[in-house]
Amino acid sequence: MGAAVSVREARKTYPGGVEALAGVSFDLSPGTFAALLGPSGCGKSTLLHLLGALEKPTSGSVAVDGHDLAALSEAARDDYRLRRAATVFQLYNLLPTMTALENVALPLLLDGLPRPEAEARAEKGLAEVGLSARKDAFPYELSGGQMQRVAVARALAPRPALLLADEPTGSLDSRSGAQVLDLVGELVAARGVTVVLATHDAAAAGRASRVLRLLDGRLVDG
Ligand SMILES: Nc1ncnc2c1ncn2[C@@H]1O[C@H](COP(=O)(O)OP(=O)(O)O)[C@@H](O)[C@H]1O
Ligand SMILES: [Mg+2]
C-alpha cells in the first residue's frame, strides 16, 4: 500500500538566507506517481530531503500517512527511512565493493533479515529489473542504465510505501533513461507505491499521473 503525503506551507531556508522552499502545499493520495518538475535550483532536492526525513522544514509541515515527519522520534525516523521511504539518486550510489546482488540485499540485512532470505528477495528484485544474469557483477562492470536498475531494485527491496527519485535519469542516455522509467512505472503500479520523481525533464515528468511544477521554491499551477 502506498503512502499518503500531505505537505503544508513547507518552507526551507538555509543558513545564509537562501530560501530553497518558499511555502509549498500539496497532497498525494496513496499510489500516486507524481513528478516534481522544474529547473536546476528550484528546490526539488530540498523537497525530496524533507519527504525522506533527511531534513526538517524551517516552518510548515510534511506528513506521511498522517505522521508529521519532524515530530518522529529518532528511532521512528530511522525506521521510516529504512522501511517506509526509499530513494533513488542520479548517481546510483551503489557500493562499489559489493556485487549487484549484495547491493540489493544490503537494506534487507540492515533490517535484520537472515542472509538467505535477504539474498532470495534480492534475486527476485534483480529478476524484476531484468538483471538476473548480472547478479554477481560489480557496479564497475555494469552500464549506467544497469546500475540504475540495480538501484531501483535496492530501493524497492524493503517494500517501501514511498519512492523518492532525484533526477534518476539525469546521467543516462535517453534510451536507458526511458527504460529505467518504464521499469519504475511498472513496478510501482503493481505495488501501489507512491512516487515523487524530481526532474528538470518535461518528457520524464510526462509519465507521471500528477505533475507538480516548482519554480523558485514555489509550486506553480500544481
Ligand atoms: N545545504 C544547502 N545549503 C545552502 N543552500 C542550499 C543547500 N542545498 C540547496 N541549497 C540552495 O537551495 C536552492 C534549491 O536547491 P535544490 O533543492 O538542490 O534545487 P534542485 O534540486 O531543484 O536543483 C538552491 O539555490 C541551492 O543552491
Ligand atoms: Mg536537485
Side-chain angles (χ1 to χ4, degrees):
M1 179 68 171
V5 172
S6 180
V7 177
R8 284 288 162 275
E9 284 300 316
R11 282 172 200 276
K12 181 72 181 180
T13 308
Y14 286 110
V18 177
E19 195 174 48
L21 293 175
V24 168
S25 302
F26 63 92
D27 290 290
L28 300 177
S29 51
T32 305
F33 189 146
L36 197 56
L37 176 66
S40 177
C42 72
K44 302 182 296 295
S45 294
T46 300
L47 186 48
L48 288 190
H49 291 159
L50 298 185
L51 290 167
L54 298 171
E55 291 186 67
K56 293 180 183 182
T58 311
S59 66
S61 66
V62 177
V64 174
D65 290 332
H67 300 286
D68 183 346
L69 297 182
L72 296 179
S73 68
E74 208 171 309
R77 201 162 55 237
D78 288 346
D79 185 79
Y80 173 76
R81 288 185 197 143
L82 188 59
R83 300 197 181 87
R84 302 284 295 156
T87 304
V88 176
F89 302 94
Q90 178 173 352
L91 286 171
Y92 331 121
N93 288 24
L94 299 179
L95 292 173
T97 59
M98 290 189 177
T99 63
L101 184 77
E102 289 166 342
N103 268 283
V104 178
L106 184 63
L108 303 174
L109 293 170
L110 291 175
D111 196 17
L113 222 63
R115 184 170 290 274
E117 285 165 44
E119 293 193 343
R121 250 167 79 179
E123 291 212 22
K124 214 167 149 233
L126 282 175
E128 285 170 344
V129 298
L131 286 176
S132 293
R134 305 296 280 140
K135 69 185 167 74
D136 296 321
F138 288 93
Y140 73 87
E141 299 174 299
L142 300 172
S143 69
Q146 289 173 332
M147 282 194 270
Q148 196 59 301
R149 281 148 62 196
V150 174
V152 167
R154 178 180 60 181
L156 293 175
R159 298 174 184 152
L162 180 61
L163 180 68
L164 306 169
D166 198 350
E167 307 264 11
T169 60
S171 300
L172 302 178
D173 62 82
S174 59
R175 190 159 156 269
S176 313
Q179 202 180 23
V180 165
L181 290 177
D182 283 344
L183 262 172
V184 169
E186 282 166 30
L187 293 173
V188 299
R191 294 153 195 234
V193 176
T194 304
V195 182
V196 183
L197 165 77
T199 182
H200 62 269
D201 175 7
R207 296 165 175 267
S209 55
R210 172 111 183 259
V211 179
L212 301 164
R213 287 176 176 276
L214 199 59
L215 198 62
D216 296 334
R218 290 174 204 280
L219 283 182
V220 289
D221 62 75

